Amino acid sequence: MTQDIIVCKYGGSSITCEADLEQIKRITSDDSRRKIIVVSAPGKRFMGDEKVTDMLIRLAETKDRDLFNKIIDRYQQLAPKRDMQDMKGLLEQILSLKLESNEYVDAVKSFGEEAAARILSEVNGWEYVDASELFVFAPPFGAARILSESEGKIKRRFSNLDH
């Protein structure tokens, strides 16, 4: 008998600190059908705070090192005991890409979700799956459409989850 699989999406305001990661794990564990977790970049923690996505847009435009460090610090708050060298390296790698302006900003913004997902997966002992393993996109990059071929990739990748 095949059971339904529930995809859970947690927005930026749901992933701002270490306690939020624990809350996501509790919510997800409450229903065995919750098998796939999608997260946004960390959002605002309080009135007047800045979302990580907005900081990443500014970073793409300015390459400001203080802003770079501020972004990494936001991820450090999610996992205070975790070494962030790999996240720094990933962000550096993305910042060094040679892309058209709009594509470049989108690539830098994508760090927000990727870093959040990697940290959430690691902290909770879950498998991280890169979106590129699941989706086929039609250009243009910033307004890409998910193509129907993605359905087959998703089904093949997660065929073991309905047992």
Side-chain angles (χ1 to χ4, degrees):
M1 178 170 163
T2 301
Q3 86 176 320
D4 293 329
I5 294 174
I6 296 174
V7 177
C8 298
K9 170 66 167 87
Y10 297 97
S13 62
S14 300
I15 185 163
T16 62
C17 64
E18 186 176 25
D20 290 343
L21 300 186
E22 294 166 10
Q23 177 72 359
I24 289 170
K25 185 173 187 175
R26 275 194 302 278
I27 291 169
T28 303
S29 300
D30 283 347
D31 188 328
S32 63
R33 296 173 299 162
R34 294 180 181 140
K35 304 244 185 232
I36 301 172
I37 311 303
V38 178
V39 293
S40 294
K44 293 182 178 185
R45 299 163 293 179
F46 48 82
M47 188 67 100
D49 195 17
E50 190 172 15
K51 298 186 297 184
V52 167
T53 299
D54 293 338
M55 295 183 343
L56 287 164
I57 292 167
R58 282 200 350 252
L59 180 64
E61 296 166 350
T62 66
K63 309 277 193 309
D64 180 280
R65 294 308 297 179
D66 289 335
L67 188 54
F68 178 99
N69 292 328
K70 188 176 177 183
I71 291 165
I72 295 299
D73 185 58
R74 288 289 298 273
Y75 289 96
Q76 189 72 72
Q77 292 174 27
L78 293 177
K81 296 175 183 131
R82 186 185 189 282
D83 182 350
M84 290 293 149
Q85 284 307 115
D86 61 333
M87 292 299 120
K88 288 178 183 178
L90 178 59
L91 185 51
E92 290 283 6
Q93 180 183 1
I94 293 169
L95 289 171
S96 70
L97 294 173
K98 304 293 184 218
L99 300 169
E100 295 293 323
S101 179
N102 289 345
E103 291 179 347
Y104 180 75
V105 172
D106 288 338
V108 174
K109 286 188 324 189
S110 74
F111 170 83
E113 288 84 7
E114 182 174 353
R118 286 181 180 276
I119 291 169
L120 177 69
S121 298
E122 182 181 307
V123 166
N124 288 318
W126 297 334
E127 178 185 6
Y128 168 81
V129 178
D130 190 286
S132 66
E133 294 180 42
L134 305 176
F135 300 106
V136 179
F137 297 99
F141 189 73
R145 290 179 334 211
I146 298 173
L147 298 177
S148 60
E149 297 94 87
S150 301
E151 186 175 347
K153 287 180 78 168
I154 293 166
K155 284 181 179 177
R156 282 188 298 281
R157 180 64 176 81
F158 294 111
S159 63
N160 64 328
L161 292 183
D162 62 356
H163 301 298

